[in-house]
């Protein structure tokens, strides 16, 4: 029920946080719920923003869900997320992008995250299409043995 | 402005029904709005955590219980004290030094080491208040690592008659599940590992995370007994709140589950901003240095925006290169404004001069010897 300002929350969580990834090579990344880029930054932080956006896997493989932090998130953790389903697998990037754009630029209004969200959506779509096309990664032979 | 109007309300859930049934609303206790001073909590925690230590040391005279004496110089051996006597391997061997076999260690650990720390009472109370306030903020509880995404409300207050009837751990587990706390308990269960280090052979074999802290005001041991065997769960009586439990590891944001009795007692224990505490003598709630810490909001508020001057965009001076006034007219004019008028006069004079020259030239060209002769010849016709 206590509403701390975004500023204050950032100061409290930026230093130590259970969500920060400690693996080497993952410097500055987090597993926070409402973080669209999964970066440790005040702009995208899921904990330190009263309005925050995240993207998670949807019900079917290839689908995504855009999660928006609700106004009651600082009181009711069970009702913290408002999800918008993105049927990327069925519809592709072109058709799901307008949903994201509209939500972030008009309804929910975090237009500074709109481009980031669309980028994430696009990369997911690209990865999905590769999987669908059956493309597999072949390891390049890097030694004399090959 | 009354306290209740100023402070938001917290729902009290029925222990039997879960989040679907709200028994009532309680005004948020003032402690939970105390400033969250992680530096104070950290300081108090590190010191209070030293109070449960047990002393250790080596034996008082370990390595020194010999009549060893140095042989001095001249005997082709090092000057370390040596064990006297004969008839045994030990005689003539080095003694006392930390480098010697069987000698005393460097700086033997002593029993009179300062094991415990005293912390000022008010500091301890401040830390408790901060830790409690942090436990009411879902973001901080999540940042500490608790799995609370299924908890209906924070702070979580549970009431109702069913709570007093919990005697079996099975019922306790059901209750936790009902309020979305089983995710945190599961997290603790799956984190159980054998401790790294010698502690594993010193009766501290397993380590696991901390789960929910249940703060109650029970006088009977029944409820605590039911909950205590659930992995990760700890219990605390509201009269005896412990910073080591509220901020494990010095990190604020423990997931706390309150019973209604305990929650309602907080205002009397810690007092409010208008009333002093009845339980803690001479204690009044800590106040923040700045009452409204939302600086962004203050700056973008109507009252301030009305009064501030508009944004200046061209503050940065772009030219970093010095312009020579003797070559660059603009630079010269900056230093000597008259230069502009002077230059204009110069240009006007130059123009005049060239016009006059043109005139003379045309005059000369139209007044050549041939032209004059031709004119004279024409005249004679």
């Amino acid at each position: 029920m206590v509403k701390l300002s975004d500023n204050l929350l950032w100061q409290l969580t930026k230093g130590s946080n259970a969500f920060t990834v400690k693996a080497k090579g993952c410097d500055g990344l987090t597993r926070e719920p409402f973080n669209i880029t999964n970066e440790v930054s005040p702009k995208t932080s899921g904990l330190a923003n009263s309005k925050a956006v995240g993207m998670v896997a949807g019900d079917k493989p290839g689908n995504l869900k855009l999660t928006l932090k609700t106004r009651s998130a600082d009181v009711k953790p069970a009702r913290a997320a408002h999800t918008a389903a993105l049927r990327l697998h069925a519809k592709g990037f072109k058709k799901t992008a307008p949903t994201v754009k509209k939500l972030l630029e008009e309804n929910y209004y975090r237009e500074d995250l709109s481009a980031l969200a669309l980028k994430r959506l696009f990369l997911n779509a690209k990865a999905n299409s590769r999987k669908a096309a059956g493309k597999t990664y072949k390891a390049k032979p890097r030694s004399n043995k090959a | 402005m009354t306290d209740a109007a100023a402070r938001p309300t917290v729902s009290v859930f029925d222990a039997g029904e879960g989040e679907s049934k709200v028994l009532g609303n309680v005004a948020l206790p003032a402690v939970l709005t105390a400033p969250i001073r992680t530096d104070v909590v950290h300081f108090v925690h590190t010191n209070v955590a030293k109070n449960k230590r047990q002393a250790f040391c080596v034996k008082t005279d370990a390595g020194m219980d010999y009549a060893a004496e140095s042989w001095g110089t001249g005997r082709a051996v090092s000057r370390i004290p040596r064990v006297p006597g004969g008839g045994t391997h030990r005689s003539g061997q080095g003694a006392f030094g930390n480098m010697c076999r069987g000698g005393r260690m460097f700086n033997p650990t002593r029993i009179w080491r300062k094991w415990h720390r005293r912390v000022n009472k008010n500091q301890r109370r401040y830390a408790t208040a901060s830790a409690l306030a942090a436990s009411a903020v879902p973001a901080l509880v999540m940042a500490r690592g608790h799995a609370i995404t299924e908890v209906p409300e924070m702070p979580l207050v549970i009431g109702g008659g069913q709570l007093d009837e919990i005697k079996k751990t099975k019922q306790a587990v059901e209750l936790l599940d009902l309020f979305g706390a089983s995710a945190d308990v599961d997290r603790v269960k799956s984190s159980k590992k054998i401790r790294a280090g010698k502690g594993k052979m010193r009766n501290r074999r397993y380590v696991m995370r901390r789960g929910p802290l249940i703060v109650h005001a029970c006088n009977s041991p029944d409820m605590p007994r039911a909950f205590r065997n659930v992995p990760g769960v700890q219990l605390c009586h509201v009269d005896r709140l412990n910073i080591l439990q509220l901020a494990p590891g010095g990190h604020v944001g423990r997931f706390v589950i309150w019973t209604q009795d305990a929650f309602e007692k907080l205002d009397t224990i810690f007092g409010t901003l208008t009333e002093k505490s009845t339980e803690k003598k001479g204690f009044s709630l800590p106040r923040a240095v700045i009452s409204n810490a939302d600086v962004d909001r203050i700056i973008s508020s109507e009252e301030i925006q009305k009064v501030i001057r508009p944004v200046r965009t061209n503050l940065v001076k772009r030219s970093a290169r010095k312009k020579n006034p003797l070559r660059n007219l603009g630079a010269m004019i900056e230093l000597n404004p008259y230069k502009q008028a002077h230059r204009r006069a110069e240009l006007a004079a130059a123009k005049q001069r060239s016009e006059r020259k043109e005139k003379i030239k045309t005059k000369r060209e139209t007044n050549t010897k041939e032209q004059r002769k031709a004119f004279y010849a024409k005249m004679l016709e």
Side-chain angles (χ1 to χ4, degrees):
Chain A
M1 259 302 172
V2 190
K3 176 79 187 90
L4 295 185
S5 65
D6 294 351
N7 248 322
L8 182 56
L9 270 174
W10 174 245
Q11 295 299 326
L12 289 169
T13 56
K14 70 176 184 182
S16 73
N17 191 324
F19 295 107
T20 344
V21 182
K22 284 119 190 163
K24 294 195 174 60
C26 297
D27 207 23
L29 296 178
T30 45
R31 292 194 176 95
E32 282 164 356
F34 294 99
N35 193 325
I36 194 75
T37 56
N38 289 104
E39 282 169 350
V40 177
S41 109
K43 186 168 116 169
T44 55
S45 166
L47 299 171
N49 281 301
S50 45
K51 271 201 205 172
V53 183
M55 212 179 269
V56 289
D59 303 320
K60 288 197 187 144
N63 285 350
L64 296 173
K65 280 192 214 162
L66 192 73
T67 52
L68 306 168
K69 202 170 176 186
T70 53
R71 283 189 66 185
S72 58
D74 51 304
V75 178
K76 302 184 177 162
R79 307 238 188 99
H82 167 72
T83 46
L86 303 168
R87 294 177 54 208
L88 200 58
H89 188 73
K91 298 202 169 165
F93 175 74
K94 260 195 178 159
K95 291 223 172 126
T96 46
T99 323
V100 173
K101 206 166 155 115
K102 179 159 187 262
L103 271 170
L104 294 179
E105 290 179 13
E106 288 165 47
N107 299 351
Y108 190 66
Y109 202 63
R110 266 284 326 243
E111 59 173 15
D112 56 333
L113 299 184
S114 174
L116 297 167
L118 288 170
K119 182 177 177 182
R120 188 165 173 153
L121 187 70
F122 178 71
L123 290 171
N124 270 293
K126 209 161 88 163
N128 281 336
S129 66
R130 268 211 218 96
K131 274 190 213 150
K135 288 200 181 126
T136 49
Y137 169 65
K138 262 187 285 185
K140 251 196 272 188
R142 286 172 198 279
S143 68
N144 296 328
K145 295 176 190 171
Chain B
M1 194 157 68
T2 63
D3 276 340
R7 283 186 272 133
T9 55
V10 181
S11 319
V12 178
F13 296 101
D14 188 298
E17 306 292 315
E19 61 176 289
S20 49
K21 189 164 171 211
V22 175
L23 286 176
N25 290 305
V26 186
L28 187 77
V31 214
L32 300 187
T33 58
I36 297 173
R37 290 285 302 273
T38 48
D39 54 333
V40 176
V41 172
H42 186 257
F43 172 78
V44 173
H45 179 92
T46 49
N47 287 300
V48 171
K50 293 176 185 171
N51 292 341
K52 206 184 166 194
R53 295 200 289 187
Q54 288 184 337
F56 62 86
C57 66
V58 291
K59 203 161 126 189
T60 325
D61 51 0
M64 295 298 283
D65 206 3
Y66 294 101
E69 263 197 55
S70 172
W71 289 354
T73 51
R75 289 178 66 172
V77 289
S78 69
R79 293 178 278 170
I80 195 79
R82 291 178 186 276
V83 176
T88 177
H89 278 296
R90 189 61 179 135
S91 45
Q93 285 183 345
F96 294 167
N98 53 313
M99 61 285 216
C100 298
R101 181 178 180 275
R104 104 192 102 56
M105 64 180 276
F106 162 72
N107 200 8
T109 49
R110 298 299 187 196
I111 202 115
W112 55 82
R113 178 193 300 211
K114 189 172 154 195
W115 302 101
H116 308 99
R117 296 286 182 278
R118 54 171 304 281
V119 184
N120 295 342
K121 194 187 252 179
N122 208 40
Q123 272 181 318
R124 278 182 271 141
R125 286 169 174 174
Y126 200 124
T128 313
S130 277
L132 281 173
S135 74
V137 182
L140 295 179
V141 179
M142 274 167 49
R144 208 197 147 267
H146 292 282
I148 53 162
T149 50
E150 276 149 56
V151 174
E153 190 169 318
M154 286 287 275
L156 183 60
V157 186
I158 304 178
Q162 296 230 9
L163 200 59
D164 305 322
E165 281 157 40
I166 291 182
K167 286 194 170 63
K168 304 291 268 173
T169 307
K170 197 168 179 177
Q171 293 171 311
V173 170
E174 273 170 15
L175 181 131
L176 290 174
D177 193 39
L178 216 49
F179 289 99
S182 52
D184 207 26
V185 172
D186 290 338
R187 176 187 72 101
V188 172
K189 261 194 251 179
S190 61
S191 72
K192 188 175 183 186
K193 284 203 159 61
I194 294 178
R195 186 186 290 265
K198 287 283 190 305
K200 69 166 86 59
M201 14 168 141
R202 294 178 181 175
N203 307 324
R204 287 168 254 137
R205 192 152 181 88
Y206 295 104
V207 255
M208 45 193 202
R209 304 287 84 79
R210 287 267 184 242
L213 175 72
I214 300 179
V215 181
H216 61 89
C218 277
N219 290 319
S220 84
D222 292 336
M223 198 197 78
R225 275 196 194 139
F227 277 95
R228 71 187 181 190
N229 206 28
V230 183
V233 170
Q234 283 186 312
L235 288 129
C236 191
H237 195 285
V238 71
D239 289 341
R240 299 178 276 279
L241 287 166
N242 186 352
I243 188 74
L244 302 175
Q245 288 182 327
L246 289 171
H251 298 126
V252 294
R254 180 85 188 260
F255 174 31
V256 178
I257 301 176
W258 299 91
T259 62
Q260 188 175 8
D261 297 334
F263 201 66
E264 287 170 346
K265 240 186 150 185
L266 281 177
D267 264 343
T268 50
I269 294 173
F270 286 91
T272 66
L273 291 169
T274 49
E275 292 162 22
K276 273 203 159 168
S277 146
T278 49
E279 312 272 319
K280 299 187 193 288
K281 194 168 136 197
F283 174 75
S284 49
L285 275 177
R287 285 171 194 268
V289 172
I290 173 173
S291 60
N292 179 10
D294 200 346
V295 185
D296 289 336
R297 202 146 169 235
I298 292 172
I299 292 172
S300 56
S301 71
E302 178 70 47
E303 294 93 323
I304 291 196
Q305 290 293 318
K306 243 194 315 190
V307 188
I308 56 180
R309 59 158 172 75
V311 176
R312 289 199 292 236
T313 45
N314 293 330
L315 273 177
V316 182
K317 215 175 174 185
R318 291 289 164 196
S319 141
R321 221 173 200 198
K322 186 187 176 210
K323 299 205 184 232
N324 185 1
L326 297 173
R327 287 172 161 267
N328 186 306
L329 183 66
M332 180 52 118
I333 291 172
E334 256 188 75
L335 297 168
N336 176 16
Y338 176 69
K339 190 71 180 177
Q340 188 171 40
H342 181 81
R343 173 57 87 93
R344 290 221 178 104
E346 269 183 342
L347 289 171
K351 192 170 176 203
Q352 238 185 11
R353 262 182 266 126
S354 68
E355 275 174 5
R356 211 181 293 148
K357 262 194 176 157
E358 270 301 307
K359 242 190 189 171
I360 292 169
K361 192 178 173 198
T362 49
K363 205 177 179 189
R364 222 181 274 145
E365 279 168 5
T366 53
N367 202 17
T368 56
K369 212 169 184 182
E370 292 82 23
Q371 284 174 329
R372 272 185 265 135
K373 268 193 174 164
F375 182 70
Y376 188 67
K378 205 170 170 191
M379 290 282 358
L380 293 176
E381 281 172 12

